[in-house]
């Protein structure tokens, strides 16, 4: 009897929640964030520990550059499920973007937590590519006096090469480009391009030619080769 009463009382609510979540998820996937947000917020009130609802709200906040709100949601995710690498990665990313908006002294105090968040993501998921990219960016952009290090950036680039050869070449090319070693960057980007002929590797190589090496003709040739290769695949 109790089970019948339970189903009578709560089944409609469960159906409502799932229906609304499906609607919100579709809106989110269609990047209609303003429409998805109030539905997700209502769902969160009904189910405060729903991981996907919280993550979507964090992602929506991040898309609007509302970093405090994004950090709030991602921190909640870490607390509910501390074994999920991606939650630490997203929290570190939001914290890093927040650091760019505050004064330098406050930002200095945030660097340790940013780095630890990305490192934790890698510890939880040794194959986490994005966290290594984030650490590379952190180490090449930080001044040496507060922890910047090309050596450490290269360490993560080398780790990337063991997981994904394309990411390994692209990351080493990115480091070379940052330090204005453009010919070395060109060699790395060309290797990445020859492995996968991906749009990302094409764009990195073409942009290097056009914006750093003042050679728009090579940029055009690179895009032509990309289009030709992908047309042949299709």
């Amino acid at each position: 009897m109790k089970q019948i009463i339970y189903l009578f009382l709560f089944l409609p609510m469960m159906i409502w929640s799932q229906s609304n979540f499906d609607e919100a998820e579709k809106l989110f996937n269609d990047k209609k964030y303003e429409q998805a947000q109030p539905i997700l917020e209502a769902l969160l009130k009904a189910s405060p520990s729903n991981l996907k609802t919280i993550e979507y709200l964090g992602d929506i906040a991040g898309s609007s550059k509302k970093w405090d709100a994004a950090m709030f949601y991602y921190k909640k995710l870490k607390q509910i499920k501390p074994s999920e690498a991606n939650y630490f990665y997203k929290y570190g990313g939001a914290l890093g973007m927040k650091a760019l908006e505050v004064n330098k002294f406050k930002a200095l105090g945030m660097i340790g937590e940013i780095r630890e968040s990305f490192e934790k993501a890698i510890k939880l998921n040794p194959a986490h590519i994005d966290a290594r990219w984030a650490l590379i960016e952190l180490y090449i952009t930080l001044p040496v006096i507060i922890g910047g290090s090309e050596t450490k950036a290269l360490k993560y680039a080398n780790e990337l090469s063991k997981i994904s050869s394309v990411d390994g070449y692209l990351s080493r090319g990115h480091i070379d480009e940052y330090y204005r070693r453009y010919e070395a960057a060109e060699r790395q980007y060309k290797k990445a391009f020859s492995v996968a002929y991906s749009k990302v590797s094409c764009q990195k190589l073409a942009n290097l030619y056009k914006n750093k090496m003042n050679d728009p003709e090579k940029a055009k040739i690179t895009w032509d080769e990309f289009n030709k290769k992908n047309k042949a695949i299709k």
Side-chain angles (χ1 to χ4, degrees), residues 12-212:
M13 185 180 295
M14 292 166 64
I15 294 170
W16 175 86
S17 296
Q18 186 59 49
S19 173
N20 278 266
F21 180 82
D22 291 343
E23 181 187 356
E25 187 170 50
K26 184 178 186 307
L27 289 167
F28 178 88
N29 290 332
D30 291 340
K31 299 186 178 179
K32 295 178 179 178
Y33 300 138
E34 289 185 6
Q35 296 176 52
Q37 184 174 347
I39 302 173
L40 289 165
E41 288 173 342
L43 287 166
L44 188 62
K45 287 181 182 178
S47 182
S49 298
N50 187 287
L51 295 172
K52 207 63 189 174
T53 300
I54 299 168
E55 186 172 11
Y56 282 153
L57 285 167
D59 292 349
I60 289 170
S63 73
S64 302
K65 299 183 179 181
K66 296 176 181 176
W67 304 120
D68 287 325
M71 286 158 52
F72 169 80
Y73 288 119
Y74 295 147
K75 187 173 184 178
K76 193 178 177 88
L77 289 172
K78 291 194 306 172
Q79 292 168 342
I80 296 172
K81 192 176 181 182
S83 61
E84 176 54 53
N86 226 34
Y87 298 157
F88 286 87
Y89 165 71
K90 288 190 173 186
Y91 177 77
L95 188 62
M97 296 307 295
K98 177 67 177 178
L100 296 175
E101 297 182 349
V102 300
N103 65 64
K104 291 182 180 179
F105 293 105
K106 190 171 182 179
L108 283 173
M110 299 165 72
I111 290 169
E113 189 176 7
I114 295 168
R115 182 175 57 244
E116 288 167 9
S117 296
F118 295 140
E119 289 173 346
K120 180 69 172 180
I122 292 171
K123 185 176 180 181
L124 290 170
N125 177 9
H128 205 293
I129 288 174
D130 291 337
R132 287 180 171 83
W133 268 105
L135 283 164
I136 289 168
E137 196 65 27
L138 183 69
Y139 280 121
I140 63 175
T141 54
L142 280 178
V144 175
I145 196 170
I146 56 171
S149 169
E150 183 183 357
T151 301
K152 289 181 179 178
L154 285 168
K155 169 184 174 289
Y156 287 108
N158 290 334
E159 288 182 10
L160 276 176
S161 67
K162 296 175 184 177
I163 302 168
S164 161
S165 59
V166 172
D167 281 282
Y169 292 134
L170 287 175
S171 59
R172 288 196 292 271
H174 180 64
I175 294 168
D176 285 327
E177 182 178 356
Y178 182 85
Y179 289 107
R180 301 182 181 182
R181 301 189 293 260
Y182 298 139
E183 290 183 0
E186 178 191 14
R187 288 194 293 272
Q188 296 295 339
Y189 289 154
K190 286 176 77 172
K191 287 178 183 177
F193 188 46
S194 66
V195 168
Y197 292 102
S198 68
K199 188 172 182 179
V200 172
S201 56
C202 174
Q203 195 164 45
K204 294 293 286 186
L205 182 57
N207 286 348
L208 179 73
Y209 284 139
K210 183 179 179 181
N211 301 323
K212 303 293 176 62

